[in-house]
Amino acid sequence: MAVILNENAIRNLASDAGEDLLGELITVFIDEMGYRKTQVEEACLLYQYQELAHSIKGSALTFGAEALAELAEAIERRAKGGDDLVKEQLPELVACLIETRDRYQSYLDSLD
């Protein structure tokens, strides 16, 4: 089962980028999740869903947000295949973006 926040991925990111930058990187990711939420809510075309899902998936994988990455990948695949029913998954994506943002904010707060 995919997790909201994979701490091993965060440790790897800290190792790669440096512990001193970890908080800043997580803050950027949190801000991006809020921005992506707005974009998803405003999108209305399949190609928009596909592009947004692809971007979300990439960021989520980088930061170990496995559940979000899996959902974004499923939406990307459906949109790429021309499945209009992908719109039914958008509320789930928005909820997952919010949950991910909140979990990473809690994690960031715990670093202080």
Side-chain angles (χ1 to χ4, degrees):
M1 181 176 183
V3 296
I4 298 295
L5 185 152
N6 180 326
E7 290 192 31
N8 287 330
I10 295 294
R11 283 191 286 276
N12 289 339
L13 182 62
S15 176
D16 291 345
E19 289 285 337
D20 54 326
L21 289 178
L22 183 61
E24 188 175 327
L25 291 172
I26 292 174
T27 298
V28 169
F29 180 68
I30 290 167
D31 291 346
E32 181 184 353
M33 293 304 95
Y35 176 67
R36 296 296 184 197
K37 174 189 167 289
T38 300
Q39 286 184 310
V40 169
E41 292 170 336
E42 293 175 352
C44 60
L45 301 171
L46 281 175
Y47 84 89
Q48 292 172 316
Y49 303 139
Q50 180 184 345
E51 289 177 359
L52 283 168
H54 181 78
S55 295
I56 291 167
K57 177 184 70 175
S59 294
L61 287 171
T62 299
F63 283 87
E66 295 173 2
L68 180 59
E70 285 183 11
L71 179 57
E73 182 177 24
I75 289 171
E76 178 184 18
R77 194 173 36 248
R78 287 182 83 177
K80 189 175 185 176
D83 186 350
D84 280 330
L85 295 178
V86 73
K87 294 174 188 174
E88 294 176 6
Q89 285 185 290
L90 298 182
E92 182 182 359
L93 180 59
V94 168
C96 194
L97 284 163
I98 292 168
E99 184 177 7
T100 301
R101 181 193 64 203
D102 292 349
R103 178 66 181 92
Y104 277 76
Q105 184 63 58
S106 293
Y107 184 84
L108 181 62
D109 293 344
S110 77
L111 294 178
D112 294 334

